[in-house]
Amino acid sequence: MASTAATGLSDGDFIRFAEYFYKRTGIHFAAGKRYFVDKRIDTCIRNSPYDTFAAWFAALRTSDQGPMLQELINQLTVNETYFLREDYQFDAMLSTVLPNVLAARGGVGRIVGPVKILSLPCSTGEEPYSIALRLLEEWDQIDHVDVEIHGADIDSEVLAKAAHASYGERSVQRVPKAWMNKYFAAVGAGRYQVDEGIRSAVTLHKVNICDTAAMRSFRDFDIVFCRNVLIYFDELSSRRAAENLYGAMRPGGYLFLGHSESMSRISPIFTPTRLPEGLVYQRPTGAK
Amino acid sequence: MGLVRKQAPQEPEEALPEGPSAEILLSRLDDPDPDRRRESALGLVGAPEAVPAMLARVGVEEDPRVLESMLTTLAAYDTEDVAGGLAVHLASDEAGLRTAVAAALATMPRSFPAVLPSLLAAPDHDVRVMTAMILADLQHPEAHTWLVRMICQDPHPNVVTGAIDALLPSATTDDVQLLLDARERFPDDPFLRFTVNAALPRLTGTP
């Protein structure tokens, strides 16, 4: 049986761990992620009072939702965000979702009110500004349709950074040079600020996605990006977040989750829809 | 046309108007508009006086989305009264209701243990199968132990198979003998035999 030197994880241990972690978070680690996982488990074990994987894993399973699991999740999830992250979903927005939204709302020229897009959580703003860039540069209807982009997050500090919209080179490394020249200004120390026109077009809000009362003011969104956050919630909080997202969306509206997340494991209220670019969830059109 | 800012920038948590009272929300649970019922059910979080009325509606609510929102609100209480009020629906003839209630009970680790003994003793073996499903997702340190007990003691092969299925994600080599004993107890049940045989290679580390 193979094992790694650092953790002593056998192949069987890894499979059991991967199944456990998938069950608790929805994140699946295939064998190809072995090195990544082993290193982080090793860190967790070193930070714990346990000497071996077996003892640590037994304690983890016993304590379950406690701080051990949280530390593990923190180790095994990448919190870094950047412009145009998981942009196959932006491809889906442009090629399939927006045409469907326009068609459902009467078509260009007859649509009443703006198309509304929500990024929640928006963190330091990379996601809503990425949406803006993709729309401005690649959506042929942008001059014919009003679009509102909203970003929301529970953290006021990240919202302040989102409002300032100044980013380091690592964050903007996927932005094409032509777009950088057009929409960013160098502000020194290797940082680049998003152009005022885009900054002022994005509306930022502080909100807790699990707070039903606060989420009541979010209504009629056609497209919602809620990526890589539900995995941090327990099952009940995920259910309430899903209900609140449902309430924020227009019937027929589209919800994008992170690639490792599944609404099917949280709530049956959305309808999964397979697009050429991947899976998206819709608020059923039959519901008011 | 193009990117536009919302005309009246909003600060949701500051400018939010006072929501309707629990009394009004309760009356809206009978509203003919399912979306209004759904929003009322969600709005009743933090209103314990609404719990009995919501529990009474669980069995009669016909819209699955409204039912989901009621269960989301009720499960947040995680009290024995709520768990008991929900558990009775595990015997329902309606699969959608049974499954929705089971999913809600699986999010109630504080109170579910109180109703577990009566569920394990339920004469309807389908209720016991649902109980195993709940234990599969219940985040409770004793869940594994309760599943082991079901596997050892339940007289119905479908319940034992369901409990084995629920146990497998957290099973280790320590559970191999448990599975072998279950297979021996029901030698003529092909589904149980298949479940155990499929699990053993992974647990023993042999092909």
Side-chain angles (χ1 to χ4, degrees):
Chain A
M1 194 183 299
S3 68
T4 61
T7 64
L9 245 70
S10 68
D11 291 344
D13 289 338
F14 177 79
I15 291 168
R16 275 193 295 284
F17 171 79
E19 286 188 3
Y20 169 84
F21 196 70
Y22 174 76
K23 193 170 171 57
R24 287 290 167 254
T25 66
I27 298 174
H28 175 64
F29 288 112
K33 292 279 188 182
R34 181 73 192 266
Y35 177 71
F36 172 85
V37 173
D38 281 12
K39 265 183 68 174
R40 282 151 183 82
I41 289 178
D42 194 44
T43 302
C44 287
I45 294 172
R46 276 191 277 106
N47 292 342
S48 80
Y50 305 100
D51 296 331
T52 64
F53 170 78
W56 172 81
F57 190 43
L60 175 71
R61 285 189 298 144
T62 304
S63 69
D64 219 21
Q65 270 303 101
M68 282 183 76
L69 181 62
Q70 188 58 56
E71 186 198 354
L72 181 65
I73 290 171
N74 292 347
Q75 286 289 338
L76 286 171
T77 53
V78 179
N79 294 313
E80 174 197 41
T81 188
Y82 46 87
F83 276 81
L84 305 176
R85 181 182 182 184
E86 294 184 39
D87 58 356
Y88 67 94
Q89 294 189 325
F90 301 140
D91 295 342
M93 175 184 73
L94 293 170
S95 62
T96 309
V97 170
L98 279 168
N100 288 351
V101 166
L102 290 188
R105 294 186 57 190
V108 178
R110 296 167 70 183
I111 185 170
V112 177
V115 170
K116 293 177 66 178
I117 302 173
L118 174 63
S119 163
L120 195 174
C122 67
S123 185
T124 42
E126 288 89 337
E127 184 171 271
Y129 294 131
S130 294
I131 294 168
L133 292 177
R134 293 289 306 257
L135 290 175
L136 288 169
E137 284 296 311
E138 296 180 318
W139 193 40
D140 58 5
Q141 300 300 322
I142 190 64
D143 292 330
H144 309 290
V145 178
D146 279 344
V147 178
E148 276 183 19
I149 300 175
H150 296 248
D153 205 288
I154 192 172
D155 184 337
S156 56
E157 289 184 13
V158 299
L159 285 170
K161 290 179 180 171
H164 190 253
S166 165
Y167 302 96
E169 287 180 359
R170 186 180 171 85
S171 181
V172 297
Q173 63 185 347
R174 300 192 64 190
V175 180
K177 194 167 187 324
W179 297 11
M180 287 298 298
N181 292 337
K182 192 170 176 183
Y183 298 112
F184 289 79
V187 289
R191 298 191 71 79
Y192 302 87
Q193 188 173 34
V194 176
D195 146 304
E196 163 64 16
I198 294 180
R199 272 187 284 142
S200 63
V202 173
T203 308
L204 298 170
H205 313 264
K206 181 175 178 294
V207 74
N208 177 356
I209 190 175
C210 294
D211 184 338
T212 298
M215 286 290 292
R216 267 193 289 123
S217 60
F218 290 79
R219 281 289 181 272
D220 296 329
F221 280 92
D222 297 283
I223 303 170
V224 175
F225 288 87
C226 182
R227 308 194 292 183
N228 307 310
V229 66
L230 297 180
I231 51 173
Y232 293 102
F233 295 155
D234 66 13
E235 292 178 18
L236 193 59
S237 300
S238 299
R239 283 175 66 122
R240 184 155 284 276
E243 294 278 5
N244 293 341
L245 289 172
Y246 181 100
M249 292 166 64
R250 191 184 288 278
Y254 291 81
L255 170 65
F256 288 96
L257 300 180
H259 73 279
S260 62
E261 297 174 308
S262 168
M263 182 56 73
S264 308
R265 293 177 57 81
I266 298 169
S267 171
I269 56 177
F270 289 94
T271 304
T273 302
R274 174 68 62 184
L275 302 180
E277 300 86 358
L279 193 64
V280 66
Y281 297 89
Q282 277 189 278
R283 173 170 167 162
T285 48
K288 187 189 166 207
Chain B
M1 297 295 165
L3 298 184
V4 294
R5 187 176 179 86
K6 184 175 169 55
Q7 287 306 304
Q10 52 184 349
E11 291 297 336
E13 292 184 336
E14 293 168 15
L16 205 65
E18 192 73 15
S21 68
E23 191 179 355
I24 291 172
L25 291 173
L26 265 174
S27 70
R28 288 181 185 168
L29 291 179
D30 293 317
D31 197 287
D33 178 352
D35 209 48
R36 208 152 193 222
R37 298 202 300 279
R38 197 191 74 83
E39 290 187 359
S40 299
L42 284 176
L44 283 167
V45 68
E49 66 274 25
V51 166
M54 292 186 77
L55 281 174
R57 285 208 59 87
V58 167
V60 296
E61 175 56 57
E62 292 182 351
D63 188 301
R65 286 178 291 272
V66 181
L67 176 63
E68 281 296 323
S69 63
M70 285 201 295
L71 292 173
T72 298
T73 293
L74 285 169
Y77 288 100
D78 200 355
T79 62
E80 291 182 21
D81 285 347
V82 173
L86 295 180
V88 296
H89 298 293
L90 293 175
S92 168
D93 290 334
E94 291 182 38
L97 175 59
R98 285 199 307 269
T99 308
V101 163
L105 286 168
T107 66
M108 301 172 64
R110 283 198 302 275
S111 59
F112 185 73
V115 298
L116 185 61
S118 64
L119 293 175
L120 293 178
D124 180 351
H125 71 266
D126 284 336
V127 169
R128 305 201 302 277
V129 171
M130 298 295 290
T131 303
M133 281 175 52
I134 294 167
L135 291 176
D137 291 322
L138 189 75
Q139 292 176 0
H140 191 287
E142 293 298 313
H144 189 95
T145 305
W146 292 325
L147 285 169
V148 168
R149 198 174 303 158
M150 290 181 82
I151 293 167
C152 293
Q153 296 176 358
D154 199 282
H156 199 289
N158 290 0
V159 178
V160 174
T161 306
I164 290 172
D165 207 38
L167 183 86
L168 286 180
S170 61
T172 68
T173 49
D174 296 343
D175 299 307
V176 168
Q177 192 57 48
L178 174 76
L179 268 56
L180 292 173
D181 291 346
R183 189 175 65 180
E184 196 172 312
R185 198 152 67 90
F186 300 99
D188 299 325
D189 190 275
F191 185 45
L192 190 152
R193 193 168 62 242
F194 172 81
T195 302
V196 171
N197 289 347
L200 286 175
R202 179 176 70 73
L203 294 180
T204 59
T206 56

